[in-house]
């Protein structure tokens, strides 16, 4: 089956670094996506990994280990506006996205 | 910049009524996806189109749900005989099969409340 697991909630302090983990168990793997979703809004694309390793994009980085079925999203220099839900999603070989339940991140001053 | 658009943004209806939602994808995107999201959960896949062909439907999509993309451009999602359990955010996303990773870009969603 397909099962995406990520923590439900995390709290961090403004200016700090936070790592949000995601594990997946599936066949037909076609890449791992991270999306950000503010309350009441649509998900917005953050990152995509299909090969093992780290992809860096500004304050956000994403890591993938296919052998371990594991990914993480790293957010540096946290800002208050980073308070949002972070969705891990696996892309199947048919193109559809299978999402985890999302991690609600609260950034405190 | 024209992203994915969805109409209406909000819909309140009474149980048993039919509702129809529209999605206009990014113009050069050939794939269009529908997802449903309830509070505190990630989006769940419903169905997707490549051009005008509906290629996959989730088991979540009961007989009361139907989706079309008649000319390979905009798409409609209809729910017949709505039930309270249909209350959710309905998200549309589009992507292009060319390029890296086939990133899906989401519209703002239609929030449905069934009374």
């Amino acid at each position: 089956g397909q099962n995406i697991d990520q923590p439900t909630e995390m709290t961090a302090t403004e200016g700090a670094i936070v790592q949000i983990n995601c594990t997946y168990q599936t066949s037909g793997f076609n890449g791992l996506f991270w999306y950000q979703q503010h309350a009441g809004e649509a998900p917005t694309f953050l990152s995509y990994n299909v090969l093992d390793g780290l992809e860096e994009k500004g304050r956000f980085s994403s890591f993938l280990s296919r052998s371990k079925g594991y990914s993480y999203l790293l957010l540096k220099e946290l800002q208050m506006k980073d308070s949002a839900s972070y969705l891990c999603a696996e892309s199947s070989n048919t193109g559809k996205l299978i999402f985890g339940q999302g991690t609600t991140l609260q950034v405190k001053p | 910049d024209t992203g994915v658009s969805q109409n209406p943004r909000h819909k309140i209806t009474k149980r048993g009524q039919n509702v129809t939602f529209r999605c206009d994808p990014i113009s050069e995107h050939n794939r269009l996806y529908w997802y449903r999201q309830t509070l505190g959960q990630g989006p769940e896949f419903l169905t997707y189109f490549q051009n005008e062909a509906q290629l996959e439907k989730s088991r979540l999509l009961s007989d009361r749900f139907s989706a079309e993309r008649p000319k390979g451009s905009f798409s409609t999602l209809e729910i017949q005989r709505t039930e309270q359990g249909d209350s959710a955010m309905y998200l549309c996303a589009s992507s292009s099969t060319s390029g890296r990773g086939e990133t899906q870009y989401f519209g703002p969603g239609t929030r449905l409340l069934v009374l």
Side-chain angles (χ1 to χ4, degrees):
Chain A
Q2 296 165 325
N3 189 23
I4 313 289
D5 286 320
Q6 51 182 130
T8 305
E9 295 179 345
M10 297 184 72
T11 303
T13 305
E14 191 176 15
I17 299 172
V18 70
Q19 177 175 312
I20 303 174
N21 297 323
C22 171
T23 59
Y24 62 93
Q25 299 172 350
T26 189
S27 59
F29 178 77
N30 198 37
L32 197 292
F33 287 85
W34 284 94
Y35 283 82
Q36 181 191 59
Q37 187 175 29
H38 285 98
E41 298 182 10
T44 54
F45 169 74
L46 288 179
S47 70
Y48 168 72
N49 295 70
V50 67
L51 299 176
D52 290 352
L54 188 68
E55 293 267 348
E56 297 187 78
K57 191 187 296 184
R59 293 189 299 115
F60 293 2
S61 302
S62 57
F63 171 83
L64 178 68
S65 170
R66 288 172 296 171
S67 63
K68 296 181 179 177
Y70 168 70
S71 173
Y72 67 72
L73 180 70
L74 194 70
L75 292 75
K76 303 176 185 176
E77 301 169 15
L78 280 173
Q79 302 176 8
M80 298 299 291
K81 67 178 182 180
D82 297 329
S83 294
S85 180
Y86 291 86
L87 300 163
C88 172
E90 188 245 334
S91 177
S92 74
N93 52 12
T94 64
K96 70 184 180 188
L97 294 176
I98 300 114
F99 284 88
Q101 68 178 18
T103 299
T104 300
L105 174 66
Q106 185 179 18
V107 180
K108 295 186 173 180
Chain B
D1 178 25
T2 54
V4 179
S5 62
Q6 292 185 246
N7 288 289
R9 295 291 307 278
H10 302 274
K11 180 71 177 179
I12 300 174
T13 191
K14 293 183 179 179
R15 189 176 51 185
Q17 297 294 305
N18 299 344
V19 293
T20 300
F21 309 142
R22 174 176 170 130
C23 171
D24 288 88
I26 294 171
S27 58
E28 62 268 25
H29 284 181
N30 57 345
R31 283 194 173 179
L32 187 149
Y33 298 80
W34 286 99
Y35 294 85
R36 180 172 68 186
Q37 186 176 26
T38 54
L39 199 62
Q41 300 298 315
E44 295 175 295
F45 169 78
L46 293 178
T47 188
Y48 92 94
F49 294 83
Q50 179 154 322
N51 300 312
E52 66 275 9
Q54 187 173 19
L55 296 186
E56 186 175 351
K57 292 195 291 186
S58 164
R59 281 172 284 183
L60 292 174
L61 215 63
S62 75
D63 292 345
R64 296 184 298 105
F65 287 71
S66 62
E68 295 182 343
R69 193 183 185 197
K71 297 181 180 179
S73 56
F74 73 92
S75 175
T76 58
L77 177 68
E78 181 182 17
I79 309 174
Q80 296 182 325
R81 305 181 301 282
T82 52
E83 301 173 357
Q84 288 183 325
D86 297 331
S87 296
M89 173 79 89
Y90 290 84
L91 293 164
C92 174
S94 71
S95 68
S96 171
T97 50
S98 62
R100 178 174 175 264
E102 201 203 317
T103 299
Q104 292 182 29
Y105 295 92
F106 284 82
T110 295
R111 187 173 295 281
L112 173 66
L113 177 61
V114 182
L115 301 175

mmCIF file of all heavy atoms in Angstrom, chain A residues 51-80:
data_model
loop_
_atom_site.group_PDB
_atom_site.id
_atom_site.type_symbol
_atom_site.label_atom_id
_atom_site.label_comp_id
_atom_site.label_asym_id
_atom_site.label_seq_id
_atom_site.Cartn_x
_atom_site.Cartn_y
_atom_site.Cartn_z
ATOM 1 N N LEU A 51 16.023 12.065 -7.185
ATOM 2 C CA LEU A 51 17.279 11.368 -6.926
ATOM 3 C C LEU A 51 17.692 11.596 -5.473
ATOM 4 O O LEU A 51 17.295 12.589 -4.856
ATOM 5 C CB LEU A 51 18.375 11.881 -7.861
ATOM 6 C CG LEU A 51 18.112 11.682 -9.362
ATOM 7 C CD1 LEU A 51 19.223 12.323 -10.168
ATOM 8 C CD2 LEU A 51 17.935 10.207 -9.702
ATOM 9 N N ASP A 52 18.499 10.699 -4.954
ATOM 10 C CA ASP A 52 18.975 10.830 -3.578
ATOM 11 C C ASP A 52 19.813 12.100 -3.428
ATOM 12 O O ASP A 52 20.552 12.490 -4.328
ATOM 13 C CB ASP A 52 19.840 9.630 -3.195
ATOM 14 C CG ASP A 52 19.030 8.356 -3.069
ATOM 15 O OD1 ASP A 52 17.791 8.429 -3.124
ATOM 16 O OD2 ASP A 52 19.640 7.287 -2.924
ATOM 17 N N GLY A 53 19.685 12.715 -2.265
ATOM 18 C CA GLY A 53 20.524 13.865 -1.969
ATOM 19 C C GLY A 53 19.718 15.084 -1.580
ATOM 20 O O GLY A 53 18.509 15.009 -1.356
ATOM 21 N N LEU A 54 20.437 16.180 -1.481
ATOM 22 C CA LEU A 54 19.886 17.427 -0.978
ATOM 23 C C LEU A 54 19.679 18.412 -2.123
ATOM 24 O O LEU A 54 20.567 18.620 -2.946
ATOM 25 C CB LEU A 54 20.853 18.017 0.061
ATOM 26 C CG LEU A 54 20.385 19.221 0.861
ATOM 27 C CD1 LEU A 54 19.261 18.813 1.806
ATOM 28 C CD2 LEU A 54 21.553 19.803 1.651
ATOM 29 N N GLU A 55 18.504 19.019 -2.157
ATOM 30 C CA GLU A 55 18.200 20.089 -3.101
ATOM 31 C C GLU A 55 18.008 21.363 -2.299
ATOM 32 O O GLU A 55 17.149 21.410 -1.425
ATOM 33 C CB GLU A 55 16.917 19.778 -3.876
ATOM 34 C CG GLU A 55 17.011 18.594 -4.805
ATOM 35 C CD GLU A 55 17.405 19.010 -6.212
ATOM 36 O OE1 GLU A 55 17.385 20.219 -6.498
ATOM 37 O OE2 GLU A 55 17.729 18.116 -7.015
ATOM 38 N N GLU A 56 18.794 22.385 -2.599
ATOM 39 C CA GLU A 56 18.716 23.629 -1.831
ATOM 40 C C GLU A 56 18.098 24.727 -2.683
ATOM 41 O O GLU A 56 18.441 24.894 -3.857
ATOM 42 C CB GLU A 56 20.111 24.054 -1.353
ATOM 43 C CG GLU A 56 20.737 23.046 -0.394
ATOM 44 C CD GLU A 56 22.036 23.529 0.204
ATOM 45 O OE1 GLU A 56 21.991 24.351 1.133
ATOM 46 O OE2 GLU A 56 23.094 23.072 -0.258
ATOM 47 N N LYS A 57 17.195 25.477 -2.035
ATOM 48 C CA LYS A 57 16.531 26.578 -2.725
ATOM 49 C C LYS A 57 16.294 27.679 -1.705
ATOM 50 O O LYS A 57 15.276 27.698 -1.026
ATOM 51 C CB LYS A 57 15.218 26.086 -3.329
ATOM 52 C CG LYS A 57 14.553 27.066 -4.283
ATOM 53 C CD LYS A 57 13.172 26.586 -4.719
ATOM 54 C CE LYS A 57 13.228 25.318 -5.516
ATOM 55 N NZ LYS A 57 11.877 24.918 -6.022
ATOM 56 N N GLY A 58 17.242 28.584 -1.614
ATOM 57 C CA GLY A 58 17.114 29.680 -0.656
ATOM 58 C C GLY A 58 17.116 29.175 0.771
ATOM 59 O O GLY A 58 17.963 28.376 1.167
ATOM 60 N N ARG A 59 16.115 29.595 1.531
ATOM 61 C CA ARG A 59 16.041 29.181 2.936
ATOM 62 C C ARG A 59 15.526 27.758 3.097
ATOM 63 O O ARG A 59 15.598 27.185 4.180
ATOM 64 C CB ARG A 59 15.124 30.139 3.714
ATOM 65 C CG ARG A 59 15.642 31.548 3.856
ATOM 66 C CD ARG A 59 14.789 32.361 4.824
ATOM 67 N NE ARG A 59 13.412 32.477 4.399
ATOM 68 C CZ ARG A 59 12.373 31.958 5.068
ATOM 69 N NH1 ARG A 59 12.576 31.278 6.195
ATOM 70 N NH2 ARG A 59 11.133 32.129 4.623
ATOM 71 N N PHE A 60 14.984 27.200 2.011
ATOM 72 C CA PHE A 60 14.402 25.858 2.088
ATOM 73 C C PHE A 60 15.304 24.841 1.380
ATOM 74 O O PHE A 60 15.829 25.104 0.301
ATOM 75 C CB PHE A 60 13.025 25.834 1.429
ATOM 76 C CG PHE A 60 11.963 26.638 2.146
ATOM 77 C CD1 PHE A 60 12.252 27.373 3.285
ATOM 78 C CD2 PHE A 60 10.661 26.658 1.674
ATOM 79 C CE1 PHE A 60 11.276 28.114 3.935
ATOM 80 C CE2 PHE A 60 9.677 27.386 2.318
ATOM 81 C CZ PHE A 60 9.977 28.117 3.441
ATOM 82 N N SER A 61 15.455 23.673 1.985
ATOM 83 C CA SER A 61 16.183 22.561 1.371
ATOM 84 C C SER A 61 15.350 21.309 1.558
ATOM 85 O O SER A 61 14.637 21.176 2.547
ATOM 86 C CB SER A 61 17.549 22.356 2.042
ATOM 87 O OG SER A 61 18.333 23.514 1.983
ATOM 88 N N SER A 62 15.484 20.373 0.619
ATOM 89 C CA SER A 62 14.784 19.102 0.760
ATOM 90 C C SER A 62 15.748 17.974 0.446
ATOM 91 O O SER A 62 16.576 18.075 -0.454
ATOM 92 C CB SER A 62 13.557 19.040 -0.157
ATOM 93 O OG SER A 62 13.933 19.247 -1.494
ATOM 94 N N PHE A 63 15.607 16.897 1.217
ATOM 95 C CA PHE A 63 16.510 15.745 1.114
ATOM 96 C C PHE A 63 15.700 14.500 0.827
ATOM 97 O O PHE A 63 14.562 14.352 1.305
ATOM 98 C CB PHE A 63 17.265 15.574 2.433
ATOM 99 C CG PHE A 63 18.064 14.304 2.517
ATOM 100 C CD1 PHE A 63 19.331 14.232 1.967
ATOM 101 C CD2 PHE A 63 17.543 13.167 3.135
ATOM 102 C CE1 PHE A 63 20.072 13.061 2.032
ATOM 103 C CE2 PHE A 63 18.266 11.991 3.203
ATOM 104 C CZ PHE A 63 19.538 11.939 2.653
ATOM 105 N N LEU A 64 16.284 13.586 0.055
ATOM 106 C CA LEU A 64 15.631 12.320 -0.255
ATOM 107 C C LEU A 64 16.605 11.166 -0.128
ATOM 108 O O LEU A 64 17.742 11.255 -0.611
ATOM 109 C CB LEU A 64 15.066 12.337 -1.672
ATOM 110 C CG LEU A 64 14.392 11.054 -2.155
ATOM 111 C CD1 LEU A 64 13.097 10.802 -1.398
ATOM 112 C CD2 LEU A 64 14.122 11.102 -3.662
ATOM 113 N N SER A 65 16.132 10.084 0.493
ATOM 114 C CA SER A 65 16.830 8.798 0.475
ATOM 115 C C SER A 65 15.830 7.754 0.003
ATOM 116 O O SER A 65 14.915 7.366 0.746
ATOM 117 C CB SER A 65 17.346 8.423 1.871
ATOM 118 O OG SER A 65 17.807 7.077 1.879
ATOM 119 N N ARG A 66 15.982 7.307 -1.226
ATOM 120 C CA ARG A 66 15.020 6.350 -1.787
ATOM 121 C C ARG A 66 15.124 4.987 -1.124
ATOM 122 O O ARG A 66 14.121 4.313 -0.914
ATOM 123 C CB ARG A 66 15.238 6.216 -3.294
ATOM 124 C CG ARG A 66 14.787 7.437 -4.086
ATOM 125 C CD ARG A 66 15.198 7.328 -5.535
ATOM 126 N NE ARG A 66 16.656 7.323 -5.670
ATOM 127 C CZ ARG A 66 17.293 7.059 -6.799
ATOM 128 N NH1 ARG A 66 16.615 6.753 -7.891
ATOM 129 N NH2 ARG A 66 18.600 7.099 -6.851
ATOM 130 N N SER A 67 16.329 4.577 -0.762
ATOM 131 C CA SER A 67 16.503 3.261 -0.146
ATOM 132 C C SER A 67 15.822 3.197 1.217
ATOM 133 O O SER A 67 15.350 2.144 1.634
ATOM 134 C CB SER A 67 17.986 2.923 -0.020
ATOM 135 O OG SER A 67 18.634 3.861 0.835
ATOM 136 N N LYS A 68 15.741 4.332 1.895
ATOM 137 C CA LYS A 68 15.117 4.375 3.217
ATOM 138 C C LYS A 68 13.667 4.853 3.158
ATOM 139 O O LYS A 68 12.983 4.866 4.180
ATOM 140 C CB LYS A 68 15.912 5.282 4.149
ATOM 141 C CG LYS A 68 17.319 4.783 4.437
ATOM 142 C CD LYS A 68 18.047 5.706 5.390
ATOM 143 C CE LYS A 68 19.451 5.175 5.680
ATOM 144 N NZ LYS A 68 20.214 6.096 6.567
ATOM 145 N N GLY A 69 13.191 5.253 1.992
ATOM 146 C CA GLY A 69 11.834 5.793 1.906
ATOM 147 C C GLY A 69 11.652 6.989 2.811
ATOM 148 O O GLY A 69 10.660 7.105 3.535
ATOM 149 N N TYR A 70 12.593 7.916 2.740
ATOM 150 C CA TYR A 70 12.669 9.003 3.719
ATOM 151 C C TYR A 70 13.014 10.319 3.030
ATOM 152 O O TYR A 70 13.850 10.370 2.125
ATOM 153 C CB TYR A 70 13.734 8.654 4.758
ATOM 154 C CG TYR A 70 14.148 9.766 5.680
ATOM 155 C CD1 TYR A 70 13.279 10.250 6.653
ATOM 156 C CD2 TYR A 70 15.416 10.317 5.600
ATOM 157 C CE1 TYR A 70 13.667 11.262 7.504
ATOM 158 C CE2 TYR A 70 15.821 11.327 6.456
ATOM 159 C CZ TYR A 70 14.943 11.792 7.410
ATOM 160 O OH TYR A 70 15.327 12.795 8.255
ATOM 161 N N SER A 71 12.353 11.380 3.488
ATOM 162 C CA SER A 71 12.646 12.719 3.003
ATOM 163 C C SER A 71 12.527 13.677 4.173
ATOM 164 O O SER A 71 11.852 13.394 5.169
ATOM 165 C CB SER A 71 11.660 13.119 1.905
ATOM 166 O OG SER A 71 11.828 14.475 1.525
ATOM 167 N N TYR A 72 13.195 14.802 4.062
ATOM 168 C CA TYR A 72 12.934 15.875 5.013
ATOM 169 C C TYR A 72 12.981 17.219 4.308
ATOM 170 O O TYR A 72 13.622 17.383 3.278
ATOM 171 C CB TYR A 72 13.890 15.844 6.220
ATOM 172 C CG TYR A 72 15.355 16.141 5.950
ATOM 173 C CD1 TYR A 72 15.804 17.419 5.647
ATOM 174 C CD2 TYR A 72 16.302 15.115 6.039
ATOM 175 C CE1 TYR A 72 17.153 17.679 5.427
ATOM 176 C CE2 TYR A 72 17.655 15.366 5.820
ATOM 177 C CZ TYR A 72 18.065 16.645 5.509
ATOM 178 O OH TYR A 72 19.400 16.891 5.294
ATOM 179 N N LEU A 73 12.266 18.161 4.911
ATOM 180 C CA LEU A 73 12.281 19.559 4.484
ATOM 181 C C LEU A 73 12.966 20.351 5.588
ATOM 182 O O LEU A 73 12.595 20.238 6.749
ATOM 183 C CB LEU A 73 10.855 20.065 4.272
ATOM 184 C CG LEU A 73 10.702 21.517 3.820
ATOM 185 C CD1 LEU A 73 11.189 21.667 2.374
ATOM 186 C CD2 LEU A 73 9.235 21.960 3.921
ATOM 187 N N LEU A 74 13.962 21.126 5.206
ATOM 188 C CA LEU A 74 14.723 21.928 6.161
ATOM 189 C C LEU A 74 14.426 23.402 5.916
ATOM 190 O O LEU A 74 14.577 23.881 4.785
ATOM 191 C CB LEU A 74 16.214 21.649 5.999
ATOM 192 C CG LEU A 74 17.148 22.136 7.093
ATOM 193 C CD1 LEU A 74 16.943 21.307 8.363
ATOM 194 C CD2 LEU A 74 18.606 22.042 6.650
ATOM 195 N N LEU A 75 13.983 24.071 6.936
ATOM 196 C CA LEU A 75 13.694 25.500 6.827
ATOM 197 C C LEU A 75 14.678 26.255 7.722
ATOM 198 O O LEU A 75 14.748 26.008 8.930
ATOM 199 C CB LEU A 75 12.268 25.819 7.279
ATOM 200 C CG LEU A 75 11.102 25.319 6.439
ATOM 201 C CD1 LEU A 75 10.862 23.831 6.614
ATOM 202 C CD2 LEU A 75 9.835 26.086 6.757
ATOM 203 N N LYS A 76 15.416 27.180 7.124
ATOM 204 C CA LYS A 76 16.405 27.950 7.872
ATOM 205 C C LYS A 76 15.900 29.362 8.099
ATOM 206 O O LYS A 76 15.014 29.852 7.400
ATOM 207 C CB LYS A 76 17.727 28.011 7.092
ATOM 208 C CG LYS A 76 18.318 26.659 6.747
ATOM 209 C CD LYS A 76 19.568 26.847 5.887
ATOM 210 C CE LYS A 76 20.117 25.509 5.415
ATOM 211 N NZ LYS A 76 21.268 25.680 4.492
ATOM 212 N N GLU A 77 16.504 30.015 9.092
ATOM 213 C CA GLU A 77 16.202 31.425 9.376
ATOM 214 C C GLU A 77 14.688 31.656 9.393
ATOM 215 O O GLU A 77 14.158 32.488 8.657
ATOM 216 C CB GLU A 77 16.866 32.337 8.333
ATOM 217 C CG GLU A 77 18.379 32.187 8.289
ATOM 218 C CD GLU A 77 18.992 32.890 7.060
ATOM 219 O OE1 GLU A 77 18.302 33.707 6.425
ATOM 220 O OE2 GLU A 77 20.142 32.587 6.746
ATOM 221 N N LEU A 78 14.027 30.881 10.224
ATOM 222 C CA LEU A 78 12.569 30.895 10.243
ATOM 223 C C LEU A 78 12.009 32.303 10.424
ATOM 224 O O LEU A 78 12.511 33.102 11.217
ATOM 225 C CB LEU A 78 12.047 30.002 11.360
ATOM 226 C CG LEU A 78 12.022 28.514 11.076
ATOM 227 C CD1 LEU A 78 11.643 27.745 12.332
ATOM 228 C CD2 LEU A 78 11.055 28.192 9.942
ATOM 229 N N GLN A 79 10.927 32.566 9.685
ATOM 230 C CA GLN A 79 10.197 33.823 9.792
ATOM 231 C C GLN A 79 8.765 33.513 10.208
ATOM 232 O O GLN A 79 8.275 32.395 10.008
ATOM 233 C CB GLN A 79 10.219 34.543 8.441
ATOM 234 C CG GLN A 79 11.622 34.823 7.924
ATOM 235 C CD GLN A 79 11.638 35.441 6.535
ATOM 236 O OE1 GLN A 79 10.614 35.810 5.986
ATOM 237 N NE2 GLN A 79 12.828 35.560 5.972
ATOM 238 N N MET A 80 8.117 34.513 10.763
ATOM 239 C CA MET A 80 6.736 34.304 11.234
ATOM 240 C C MET A 80 5.839 33.840 10.089
ATOM 241 O O MET A 80 4.945 33.015 10.289
ATOM 242 C CB MET A 80 6.190 35.594 11.856
ATOM 243 C CG MET A 80 6.955 36.069 13.079
ATOM 244 S SD MET A 80 6.930 34.873 14.418
ATOM 245 C CE MET A 80 5.218 34.945 14.892
#
